[in-house]
Amino acid sequence: MDDLDAAARQEALRRLDVLVGEWAVEAEFAGLPPSVGHSVFEWTLDGQFLLQRTRAPKPAPDSMAIVAVVPEAGGEYTYHYYDSRGVVRLYSMTFADGVWRLLREAPDFSPLSFRQRFTGQVGDDGNTIHGVWDRSADDSAAWEKDIVFTYRRSE
């Protein structure tokens, strides 16, 4: 890896620092009262990957995700997701200007029975993230709000 690639990689990793820490996660599922879970983001493997571990608000499954920089994609990331149901998914991810986006539109380790996207906005103080998961049955279907998440820094 040349110095330019290493510098771009380090900049992409540095942008994720705002996520590092412990978060209370409140979820709003349609027709259910809000529920609260817990999520921790921490650097792993000498700071080359960001690990997210989540004790999910019910009825969502507990999960783990590993965020990796995609060097050839100019600061984009992959978000490798694993959960307590045995589901494995791969999302494309961006994180810029306080906006966190995840997108899954193709089958990967799991069949694609619906498309998913997440958009989260980091608050000005860096201690809240308001986000929405949307889903769509297929390429021609409109996106529909699925779950609303609010992360609040708890440390």
Side-chain angles (χ1 to χ4, degrees):
M1 181 183 311
D2 64 29
D3 289 340
L4 181 59
D5 290 342
R9 178 180 179 75
Q10 288 308 308
E11 171 57 24
L13 291 168
R14 185 198 60 73
R15 283 195 307 269
L16 301 176
D17 274 338
V18 70
L19 296 174
V20 173
E22 295 188 26
W23 301 81
V25 183
E26 182 177 301
E28 299 173 30
F29 296 92
L32 297 173
S35 58
V36 178
H38 181 257
S39 193
V40 175
F41 289 85
E42 61 190 348
W43 293 111
T44 189
L45 299 175
D46 295 327
Q48 296 303 304
F49 301 94
L50 186 64
L51 175 65
Q52 179 187 16
R53 291 175 291 127
T54 302
R55 183 178 32 88
K58 299 306 173 205
D62 292 344
S63 64
M64 179 180 79
I66 300 170
V67 179
V69 173
V70 179
E72 63 278 0
E76 291 187 13
Y77 311 87
T78 57
Y79 184 90
H80 299 257
Y81 170 89
Y82 310 86
D83 74 28
S84 57
R85 302 169 298 181
V87 170
V88 179
R89 294 182 177 148
L90 184 61
Y91 295 85
S92 62
M93 177 178 146
T94 59
F95 193 92
D97 301 320
V99 179
W100 175 19
R101 289 189 171 95
L102 299 168
L103 181 64
R104 181 173 182 260
E105 295 187 295
D108 44 45
F109 303 101
S110 299
L112 184 72
S113 53
F114 55 91
R115 298 182 306 150
Q116 290 178 291
R117 70 179 181 193
F118 172 80
T119 304
Q121 177 68 53
V122 178
D124 290 340
D125 63 1
N127 291 320
T128 58
I129 303 170
H130 296 286
V132 175
W133 277 102
D134 297 313
R135 64 186 293 153
S136 173
D138 58 44
D139 287 343
S140 62
W143 289 100
E144 298 176 9
K145 183 167 48 172
D146 192 21
I147 308 166
V148 176
F149 279 111
T150 301
Y151 289 76
R152 295 188 202 308
R153 193 174 298 279
S154 59
E155 58 177 34

